[in-house]
Every structure is written in structure tokens, then in C-alpha cells.
Amino acid sequence: MLMVKAHAKINLALGVVGKRSDGYHLLESIMLPLELHDRVEVEIIPSNYGGTFITCDDISVPTDETNLVHKAFALMKQKFNFKQEFRIHIHKIIPLSAGLGGGSADAAAVINALNRILKLNLSRENLIDIAYQIGADVPFCLFNRPAYVTGIGEKLEEIKCHDRYYVLLAKPKEGLSTRQIFNDYDTMQIDKKVDMKELKAALQKGDDQDIAGNMINALEEPAFIRMPSVQKIKEKLVELGFTKVLMTGSGTCVVCLSKDLKALQKAESEISSLAYFTKITETLS
Ligand code: ATP
């Protein structure tokens, strides 16, 4: 049995740079991996067990073909035509519909696990080529390195961050549908310029002020309108004096970065009445 860590991600910046004729949004983002992770166990089962199946200890996660892990397995099977069948168990820790990429992380973990168990020796390009077909965040989750991500998630440029941060995660109970937020975005006139180059340089230098100034997410506005509680969490953290605060992905989790663990712990208790879920983790370098 192989156990793989499936790390959550955060977006430090997220911009919409275009839309394809099929409605797919082209994004650019700077993403950091977090220590917070699901654990995915992958184990070969005998051929008389009735085929590959997924289990999860969180009953709100679907274990049918809509699970991104199933999509990853089906794509790998189609491409490499292996005979082995598997039991895949997801030990869920990453909150759902948070913008923390939990499903994408699980799918990437399964691609990496099958590559190792079946000794496929896939190159970085081979792995990315499978991953982007599952979702735009999946290629990033294969490697868990800070990166500037473009295209449909398949172009990754690694960033060497000067510092590591503690990260307070805070989200209301409800999640938001990614599709809904993009639909809302399309109907709004949002002109948020995100300077990825400046943010990249600031991360490399460890320039906290520039990092804070360039943490922008074009999806915040539509998400705040759908769910004012997300905006309230962000505003409270800013009011407490934090500068590196942003909603991640399409929400609903707000992330707050700091090098001061004690200050984050204090903030965590101060926002407990606003946020249903809170957790302190750290970035991976
Ligand atoms: P992203 O930031 O990539 O949009 P997210 O963190 O907002 O992701 P997820 O938690 O990955 O959202 O998943 C959202 C929905 O996807 C879930 O409500 C669930 O129905 C479905 N899903 C499919 N596979 C998984 C999985 N392995 N883990 C969690 N959710 C999954």
C-alpha cells in the first residue's frame, strides 16, 4: 500500500486573462502549497474484487465517477491500459469548496501514486499532460512547489520564495460553486489588474510590503456579493492589522499570511464567531 500526501494550495494572486470560445476561463495565478493535506492510500486489489473503488472517511465527498480521483484513475487506465485494479482511500482533511483545491490535490496524488506503483517512469511533461485534463489546479498539485501558473493550468514556472509563512485559514460554513462565481464574474465589469511579475519578485526577495500590495483575486468581488460572510472575515483580519489577507480561488476560504504564529493564534480566536472553520498551517517552500 502506498500513502501519498495530497497538499492544499492557496492563490496569492488570481487573474482572469481571457475566455475560450467554449466558455473556459483562462487564468493566471501565483500559487503556494500548504502543509495541510489529505492522505490518499492506493493499494492493488485482487482481480476478483469487482474492479477499482474509492472510499472516503468524509461522507459528503462523492466516491462515484464524479470524484476527481476517479477521473485521474480512468484517464491513466485509458492511456496506459494496465490490468491492475485498486482500492483508493481518501482521508479527508482539506475543507470542501474552499478554494483550497482538495479534489485537485487528491487527483494529483493518485497520478503520482500510479506512476510509482506501476513503474511508468512518466516525465514531468507526461504527468502534466494527464493532470490538466482533470482540472486547472491539478498540474500544480503534482509538484507542490510555489509557482506562477498560466494557460489552462499546464504552464508552471517555479518560484523560489525567500520566506515561509504561517497561514490562518478561515471560512464560513457554506461553500461556493466555482462555476457560479465565474458566471457572476462574466456579468460584472471587473477590471482588477494583477501584476504577477511584481508579486513574483516580491516573493523571491521576501518583500512583505510588495507581497501584500500585489495579493489580488479577481474572483473576490463576485464571491463577496454572493456571500458577504467571506468579506466580513477578510475585513476583520485586516482590521486586526494583517496585510496579507485574501480569498483563495473561488472561495470561500480566506487566507491570512504572517510570520508571527502567536498573532495568528490570537486572530484565530478573535474571528471564531465569524468563521465556521479555522485552521493554522504553513506554506511549503
Ligand atoms: P478548487 O479550488 O480547485 O475549485 P475547491 O477546494 O473549491 O477546489 P474541492 O474541495 O476540491 O473544491 O471540491 C469541490 C467539490 O468537488 C466537492 O463538493 C465535491 O462534490 C467534488 N469532489 C470531487 N472529487 C473530490 C475529492 N477528491 N475531494 C473533495 N471533493 C471532491
Side-chain angles (χ1 to χ4, degrees):
M1 194 263 284
L2 185 64
M3 196 282 283
V4 205
K5 288 181 181 178
H7 290 275
K9 60 83 184 167
I10 54 172
N11 302 87
L12 277 201
L14 179 65
V16 181
V17 290
K19 202 174 158 188
R20 291 195 316 208
S21 50
D22 61 0
Y24 201 99
H25 290 80
L26 296 169
L27 307 177
E28 63 172 351
S29 182
I30 286 181
M31 289 163 68
L32 301 187
L34 296 182
E35 171 48 33
L36 180 78
H37 59 269
D38 291 344
R39 284 199 304 278
V40 182
E41 295 167 10
V42 183
E43 182 176 29
I44 295 183
I45 52 170
S47 52
N48 62 350
Y49 269 39
T52 295
F53 65 97
I54 300 166
T55 56
C56 182
D57 51 15
D58 181 338
I59 53 158
S60 54
V61 175
T63 51
D64 59 6
E65 54 291 334
T66 63
N67 193 303
L68 296 187
V69 159
H70 183 275
K71 291 190 180 155
F73 171 78
L75 264 177
M76 295 282 279
K77 180 129 180 149
Q78 187 194 31
K79 209 166 167 110
F80 303 107
N81 202 22
F82 48 81
K83 298 281 171 288
Q84 292 91 333
E85 299 290 349
F86 298 85
R87 179 189 79 100
I88 304 173
H89 179 70
I90 305 164
H91 178 55
K92 197 39 100 185
I93 302 288
I94 305 170
L96 304 189
S97 301
L100 294 169
S104 305
D106 296 346
V110 165
I111 296 173
N112 280 328
L114 293 178
N115 184 34
R116 275 167 67 187
I117 296 173
L118 300 169
K119 300 193 170 61
L120 297 171
N121 275 321
L122 298 178
S123 66
R124 183 183 163 90
E125 286 68 33
N126 288 155
L127 292 166
I128 292 175
D129 192 44
I130 297 163
Y132 88 87
Q133 297 180 57
I134 303 164
D137 293 336
V138 186
F140 171 85
C141 293
L142 288 169
F143 310 109
N144 294 307
R145 299 277 179 84
Y148 170 48
V149 186
T150 51
I152 44 175
E154 86 289 14
K155 290 189 202 116
L156 300 172
E157 188 188 310
E158 269 185 35
I159 301 171
K160 287 227 174 323
C161 291
H162 190 272
D163 296 312
R164 285 179 66 179
Y165 295 91
Y166 293 106
V167 183
L168 169 61
L169 305 174
K171 81 178 278 294
K173 187 166 188 179
E174 307 76 23
L176 277 170
S177 139
T178 302
R179 183 177 294 171
Q180 180 77 70
I181 292 303
F182 276 111
N183 285 346
D184 291 359
Y185 175 90
D186 285 338
T187 63
M188 296 165 71
Q189 297 294 317
I190 297 174
D191 186 28
K192 274 200 172 163
K193 288 274 165 292
V194 190
D195 195 331
M196 300 284 164
K197 274 202 188 112
E198 263 195 43
L199 179 56
K200 200 176 117 189
L203 285 166
Q204 283 164 338
K205 275 188 282 181
D207 183 331
D208 270 337
Q209 208 178 331
D210 269 5
I211 294 172
N214 287 289
M215 282 175 60
I216 293 167
N217 181 349
L219 301 178
E220 264 189 346
E221 225 170 293
F224 285 176
I225 291 171
R226 284 247 163 223
M227 208 170 281
S229 51
V230 183
Q231 185 171 16
K232 283 205 187 96
I233 292 172
K234 177 172 175 175
E235 282 171 358
K236 180 71 188 174
L237 288 164
V238 171
E239 199 185 297
L240 290 172
F242 296 97
T243 53
K244 295 185 284 300
V245 190
L246 193 74
M247 183 186 83
T248 176
S250 52
T252 52
C253 191
V254 173
V255 301
C256 176
L257 277 65
S258 173
K259 287 182 198 140
D260 186 343
L261 178 59
K262 284 222 171 77
L264 283 184
Q265 285 165 337
K266 194 157 171 271
E268 186 179 22
S269 65
E270 291 193 42
I271 58 162
S272 61
S273 60
L274 291 176
Y276 168 81
F277 167 91
T278 60
K279 171 124 198 127
I280 295 175
T281 178
E282 44 189 321
T283 56
L284 293 176
S285 47

